[in-house]
Amino acid sequence: MGKDLIKNVGESWQSGMAKSITFIVTKDCQLACKYCYLVGKNSKERMPWEVGKQAIDYILDHENDMKEESVVWDFIGGEPFLEIDLIDKICDYLKTEMFRRNHHWFNSYRFSFSTNGINYHTDKVQRFIEKNHNHLSIGITIDGTERKHDLNRVYKGDGRGSYADVVRNIPLWLKQFPNAGTKVTISSADIPYIKESVLHLYGLGIHEVNINCVFEDVWKKNDDLLFEEQLMQLADAIIDGGYYRDYACSFFSEHLGKPLDCVTQNQNWCGAGRMLAVDAEGNFYPCTRFAQYSLRDKKAWIIGNIHDGIDKNRLRPFLTLDRCTQSPQKCIDCEVAEGCAWCQGENYDAADTPTIYQRSTAICLMHKARVRANNYYWNKLFRKLELEDAREEYEENRPKLNQQTC
């Protein structure tokens, strides 16, 4: 199939109003990242073409149940580009079927990938990118400096670091997607390298660094204090070096750390239940984090399959979730609650019983440390801008993060 079909069907891409549908095309990966929550990765569970086709047919047949104006067709693994032939076939079929059906998602879609970047340069991947470029969103995960990256992102089997094999593909990726951002994960062992890693990524030409702490309970005593110190050093470097003009880092947000009103700001942080995921067996999940390979201690939460469809009773608990119904009182009353995130799958996995209504609070101290450093950042930046009479210019031209809430 050639380049994207052209057809005028309603509006084109509607940012922020998209249905997220994920194909778990493989549970295999070249890497064995030490912080990866996918505890059940393996080389056997690969999605057959027939499963992918039946999933598409079911979803497009039920257009009235998915009224979002746009759609993100997301491909994950393991490493999704290990299954580039299957993905190419699925995407061709999606484009053809949305066109044939005059579906409201036609020309209002994205194909989304988060890749380790190792085989990004290969001929098959590059042909796929050329064919679908106008509808692609691709993020390559590079964790920062070689020291930080190779601390966790290692090859399975021999434990070699993967930095060299990833960084060689960054120039090609940025040439094709100049505004792309990367996603950095912080665990306890990474904390000393935060500042140097963000600056290193800026130096590679990456202007947007989305960075977050793992939600799992991995944190040690005084990690929060070390974290705060690193973020304050990073704040100094960004402001003193003028990076704030053209670069963004998700650790610093002007609205972070305010109290939240339980009436007007009670929405659930996570999109589980509004999203949809399908695996190699054709099972549907409220999000990939509820598939068995993502869970340490709980059973998979299956909401249906490609043969019988979606069981809305299995989905119902997710549609009634909000912040207050799953949070302990200390979180509801917290004076710095804004920006404190959670993962619904981790809540489920860490809960005392098989419930999604018990919020995990493992990152509480880390969030509070981030808030303190964030206050330092904005106080320092705004003071600098006002002394230089440059506040208005900055507000007009400030870089914006394109991060999407899960």
Side-chain angles (χ1 to χ4, degrees):
M1 184 173 176
K3 288 186 179 291
D4 295 331
L5 296 164
I6 301 298
K7 183 178 180 182
N8 293 321
V9 179
E11 296 293 326
S12 59
W13 176 250
Q14 299 292 307
S15 177
M17 295 181 283
K19 179 78 172 179
S20 179
I21 299 174
T22 301
F23 293 86
I24 306 173
V25 292
T26 180
K27 295 181 181 176
D28 195 13
C29 186
Q30 307 99 316
L31 304 182
C33 299
K34 296 175 185 177
Y35 51 53
C36 185
Y37 63 83
L38 300 176
V39 294
K41 286 190 292 189
N42 65 80
S43 59
K44 298 176 182 177
E45 296 181 77
R46 300 165 58 189
M47 180 178 286
W49 156 243
E50 271 305 313
V51 169
K53 179 181 182 298
Q54 285 181 261
I56 294 166
D57 289 339
Y58 173 82
I59 291 164
L60 297 184
D61 282 344
H62 290 79
E63 182 174 3
N64 289 334
D65 291 338
M66 304 179 194
K67 295 184 179 296
E68 290 88 349
E69 295 183 43
S70 300
V71 63
V72 176
W73 302 103
D74 190 25
F75 298 89
I76 71 163
E79 167 51 40
F81 282 145
L82 290 176
E83 292 294 327
I84 187 60
D85 290 334
L86 171 66
I87 290 170
D88 191 33
K89 195 170 183 178
I90 285 175
C91 291
D92 281 355
Y93 186 67
L94 275 169
K95 290 185 289 185
T96 301
E97 282 299 291
M98 289 190 294
F99 180 90
R100 185 182 69 81
R101 295 165 181 258
N102 201 32
H103 197 284
H104 73 278
W105 285 339
F106 182 83
N107 211 34
S108 189
Y109 66 91
R110 290 284 184 272
F111 296 138
S112 177
F113 298 83
S114 181
T115 172
N116 60 33
I118 290 171
N119 61 348
Y120 184 86
H121 64 288
T122 59
D123 290 342
K124 285 184 178 181
V125 172
Q126 287 301 306
R127 282 197 297 270
F128 174 82
I129 290 172
E130 182 181 3
K131 182 164 68 174
N132 296 284
H133 187 274
N134 291 339
H135 286 279
L136 275 182
S137 172
I138 300 179
I140 291 181
T141 300
I142 180 167
D143 257 3
T145 61
E146 184 170 10
R147 176 166 59 174
K148 182 193 177 318
H149 184 98
D150 286 350
L151 191 65
N152 280 310
R153 302 188 65 80
V154 298
Y155 280 96
K156 65 180 181 182
D158 61 12
R160 285 185 301 115
S162 60
Y163 175 87
D165 292 330
V166 177
V167 76
R168 67 175 179 173
N169 285 325
I170 297 299
L172 173 60
W173 170 57
L174 290 177
K175 181 180 179 182
Q176 293 168 330
F177 303 97
N179 298 318
T182 193
K183 181 173 178 282
V184 178
T185 301
I186 303 297
S187 61
S188 181
D190 301 313
I191 294 173
Y193 313 116
I194 292 174
K195 172 196 165 185
E196 66 180 37
S197 289
V198 172
L199 297 178
H200 178 73
L201 294 172
Y202 289 169
L204 292 177
I206 300 171
H207 283 245
E208 179 179 326
V209 177
N210 291 298
I211 186 167
N212 65 276
C213 297
V214 298
F215 292 105
E216 290 78 15
D217 190 6
V218 300
W219 306 106
K220 300 173 183 176
K221 185 178 180 180
N222 293 327
D223 273 355
D224 58 320
L225 302 180
L226 295 172
F227 183 53
E228 180 182 0
E229 181 183 353
Q230 273 291 302
L231 291 190
M232 290 179 70
Q233 290 180 20
L234 176 60
D236 287 337
I238 290 174
I239 294 169
D240 296 343
Y243 292 102
Y244 61 88
R245 298 185 185 95
D246 300 303
Y247 297 83
C249 175
S250 63
F251 267 154
F252 302 118
S253 169
E254 191 176 350
H255 303 292
L256 179 73
K258 296 178 174 63
L260 285 173
D261 180 85
C262 284
V263 176
T264 59
Q265 296 171 302
N266 196 32
Q267 68 273 18
N268 190 31
W269 175 274
C270 172
R274 298 189 301 275
M275 302 183 287
L276 183 66
V278 59
D279 69 3
E281 300 297 318
N283 292 317
F284 287 129
Y285 303 92
C287 143
T288 59
R289 193 62 173 77
F290 288 85
Q292 196 61 63
Y293 83 136
S294 300
L295 298 167
R296 304 179 303 274
D297 301 314
K298 298 293 194 300
K299 291 183 179 179
W301 193 308
I302 298 172
I303 60 170
N305 59 65
I306 56 176
H307 307 293
D308 304 320
I310 295 173
D311 181 347
K312 293 184 180 178
N313 282 325
R314 293 286 291 162
L315 189 59
R316 193 183 307 276
F318 294 89
L319 303 181
T320 59
L321 274 169
D322 58 39
R323 185 173 64 90
C324 287
T325 54
Q326 63 185 301
S327 297
Q329 195 63 42
K330 67 175 183 177
C331 295
I332 296 172
D333 297 336
C334 181
E335 294 183 351
V336 294
E338 186 160 337
C340 187
W342 60 84
C343 166
Q344 212 67 56
E346 174 59 18
N347 288 356
Y348 172 62
D349 210 3
D352 299 327
T353 61
T355 179
I356 56 173
Y357 284 90
Q358 181 179 331
R359 179 175 169 184
S360 172
T361 58
I363 65 167
C364 176
L365 292 178
M366 301 300 285
H367 171 70
K368 289 177 178 177
R370 180 188 168 199
V371 169
R372 294 191 297 269
N374 186 68
N375 290 339
Y376 172 83
Y377 174 91
W378 290 104
N379 286 336
K380 177 169 180 170
L381 177 58
F382 286 149
R383 178 170 174 78
K384 173 183 171 69
L385 292 172
E386 286 164 5
L387 287 172
E388 297 174 354
D389 197 24
R391 175 78 178 266
E392 186 176 339
E393 179 185 356
Y394 171 76
E395 296 291 356
E396 290 177 357
N397 301 296
R398 70 160 70 186
K400 291 182 173 61
L401 282 163
N402 296 312
Q403 60 181 345
Q404 294 183 348
T405 301
C406 170

